[in-house]
Amino acid sequence: MQYRKFGKLDWQVSALGLGLENLPEAEDEAIKIIRAAIDGGVNFIDAGSAGQLKRNAPLLAKALADGNREKVKIAAVIPAGGINTAADFERELENLLNLFNNEHPDFITLGGLNRFTWEKAAGLKITKLIEKAFVDRKIKYAGFAFHDEYQFLRDIIAAYDAWTFCQFQFSFMDIDHHPGVTGLSYAAEKGLGVIATKPLKGGSLTSNIPENVAKIWEEAKPKRSPAEWGLRWVWNHGEVATAICDMSSLEQVKENIRIAVEAETGAFSVMDELAISKARDAYRSLKPIPCTACRGCMPCPQDIDAPRIFEIYNDAVMYNDTATAREIYRREKHHIENCNECKMCENRCGKRILLAEWLKKARELLT
Ligand code: SF4
Ligand code: SF4
């Protein structure tokens, strides 16, 4: 296994981290996967939020018995979206700690930060609440999960000097996006351990591969699976401390560990970069709505997040995966049906996108 510096901590994290989102239903299989990852050198587990931990905490407790707990560090998430008062934060933290039977996770992640949730959290003086939790020994290290444009990442990092880490989606399809390579470099430069999530876009880059992309992988040399191309690209970036893969089978664990052992920082050749950029262009050629996610059309009086909905819709078409897109749409609780076609958003969009029409199409596909 390859190990990398985790921000300013005196600790090396495995390049491959384990996420628990896709564990199989059968408990014994799930436990085998967690143990196989640890045996292969994985020392970072993203355990998710209290909702996910209702199932994962007992599993983890069993998988980490017999000395495995000392071999790994665990991160757990408090979703910022559900925090409306200081008491909400304290209650969520208590809930989380209770799920671990007071064996506190090593890292607490303030989940789902973007310009809006951060504004709300900052208004609640969330960093003061985190400071208090440090003093009460309820939190050892704090970080945040982020999905928005680079400048807002900068604001969040600047607002608090005790962040230990940050995490965001990072794959070869995310170079200029939320917060992209610029955000990655900035966060690492500021001394944060950067956790890349969804390095294969939650499986979208490895299944239902469109024909034009499959052809590029077939012709690319050396011969690698789409998963290997995607993971090697992420680990080629030295600023990435660890990449979280939500693994669902022992074969996947074995294969990802093999790649993590072999992949090196800065090892990509010009030909490697070319293969990746051809695949990226091929995916992008399938994008139906030319939305740049600049968010100039916001806010909407009906509280509709059109740029995010367009992102989900575009991903459904580009990655040929309506089921995942529907699930994300449902989980994020969007309500396109509230659109009254006032077209205020359209008048603000510099790209002249017919938002109301596209929202109707998105509604048909995603609901
Ligand atoms: S203003 Fe237009 S391009 Fe920008 S996010 Fe809105 S729809 Fe997309
Ligand atoms: S057209 Fe729909 S999405 Fe656009 S501003 Fe009006 S209500 Fe919001």
Side-chain angles (χ1 to χ4, degrees):
M1 177 59 65
Q2 187 193 142
Y3 293 91
R4 298 176 170 209
K5 197 164 165 23
F6 194 69
K8 291 178 184 158
L9 289 195
D10 188 17
W11 173 68
Q12 300 264 313
V13 63
S14 53
L16 175 66
L18 174 66
L20 307 182
E21 259 185 42
N22 293 342
L23 287 177
E25 284 297 318
E27 188 181 280
D28 57 338
E29 278 179 49
I31 290 174
K32 273 187 202 157
I33 287 173
I34 297 170
R35 289 192 170 157
I38 296 169
D39 291 345
V42 168
N43 69 0
F44 185 90
I45 297 178
D46 181 0
S49 62
Q52 293 154 323
L53 272 160
K54 283 196 179 103
R55 176 191 180 223
N56 292 340
L59 268 182
L60 262 182
K62 287 181 192 164
L64 299 182
D66 306 329
N68 272 335
R69 178 64 184 93
E70 290 71 45
K71 294 179 189 166
V72 294
K73 295 212 186 293
I74 295 178
V77 182
I78 298 180
I83 309 293
N84 296 310
T85 63
D88 286 345
F89 176 81
E90 278 156 12
R91 192 183 52 249
E92 287 296 322
L93 180 59
E94 272 321 310
N95 283 346
L96 211 52
L97 300 184
N98 287 338
L99 284 163
F100 283 92
N101 286 331
N102 290 325
E103 273 226 23
H104 293 186
D106 303 275
F107 302 106
I108 295 290
T109 312
L110 190 58
L113 285 193
N114 55 41
R115 70 190 79 179
F116 304 110
T117 49
W118 174 245
E119 194 183 344
K120 186 172 70 162
L124 295 172
K125 301 202 172 8
I126 197 96
T127 55
K128 293 259 181 291
L129 301 174
I130 293 172
E131 285 291 318
K132 182 173 179 302
F134 282 144
V135 173
D136 296 342
R137 295 180 181 274
K138 291 181 177 173
I139 295 183
K140 290 185 209 163
Y141 300 106
F144 61 90
F146 177 81
H147 188 90
D148 205 334
E149 287 179 32
Y150 159 65
Q151 70 254 36
F152 301 102
L153 175 76
R154 241 178 20 194
D155 292 347
I156 297 171
I157 293 176
Y160 190 42
D161 58 10
W163 296 125
T164 301
F165 66 97
C166 68
Q167 70 179 50
F168 42 80
Q169 295 188 17
F170 190 64
S171 71
F172 69 77
M173 290 304 294
D174 300 311
I175 45 168
D176 48 10
H177 186 63
H178 292 128
V181 173
T182 319
L184 171 70
S185 305
Y186 182 80
E189 194 186 296
K190 290 289 166 189
L192 273 72
V194 181
I195 300 166
T197 60
K198 311 268 184 236
L200 301 172
K201 283 199 115 26
S204 293
L205 299 179
T206 57
S207 54
N208 300 329
I209 298 176
E211 262 175 46
N212 60 340
V213 179
K215 194 161 173 288
I216 287 159
W217 292 142
E218 271 160 35
E219 289 169 0
K221 291 197 175 55
K223 197 98 199 123
R224 290 171 179 156
S225 67
E228 181 160 359
W229 275 109
L231 289 174
R232 279 181 183 261
W233 183 86
V234 170
W235 285 321
N236 190 51
H237 294 80
E239 301 95 330
V240 170
T242 185
I244 303 293
C245 291
D246 294 297
M247 294 179 263
S248 59
S249 69
L250 285 173
E251 293 70 42
Q252 229 173 40
V253 174
K254 207 170 138 196
E255 176 64 356
N256 288 349
I257 288 172
R258 177 191 70 77
I259 302 168
V261 169
E262 291 176 12
E264 282 172 35
T265 296
F268 256 39
S269 66
V270 174
M271 293 311 283
D272 288 337
E273 290 289 1
L274 193 63
I276 289 283
S277 100
K278 278 185 184 170
R280 185 186 299 123
D281 289 348
Y283 273 117
R284 284 180 174 170
S285 71
L286 304 171
K287 182 174 165 179
I289 313 175
C291 172
T292 56
C294 68
R295 302 188 75 87
C297 52
M298 296 289 281
C300 155
Q302 300 299 319
D303 238 1
I304 292 165
D305 189 344
R308 177 61 186 144
I309 292 168
F310 290 166
E311 194 177 359
I312 299 170
Y313 181 86
N314 278 341
D315 282 358
V317 178
M318 280 160 63
Y319 304 120
N320 200 8
D321 187 0
T322 309
T324 304
R326 283 186 179 152
E327 173 57 21
I328 295 171
Y329 179 90
R330 190 193 58 77
R331 218 187 307 141
E332 293 184 2
K333 300 189 174 82
H334 296 284
H335 288 285
I336 302 178
E337 69 275 14
N338 292 345
C339 173
N340 59 13
E341 299 187 41
C342 71
K343 302 202 178 174
M344 274 173 66
C345 53
E346 286 187 15
N347 295 332
R348 294 190 201 120
C349 175
K351 290 190 78 85
R352 301 261 177 265
I353 292 172
L354 301 175
L355 280 97
E357 284 306 310
W358 278 113
L359 283 170
K360 275 192 219 159
K361 287 190 185 158
R363 185 178 177 186
E364 274 168 33
L365 189 80
L366 299 174
T367 63

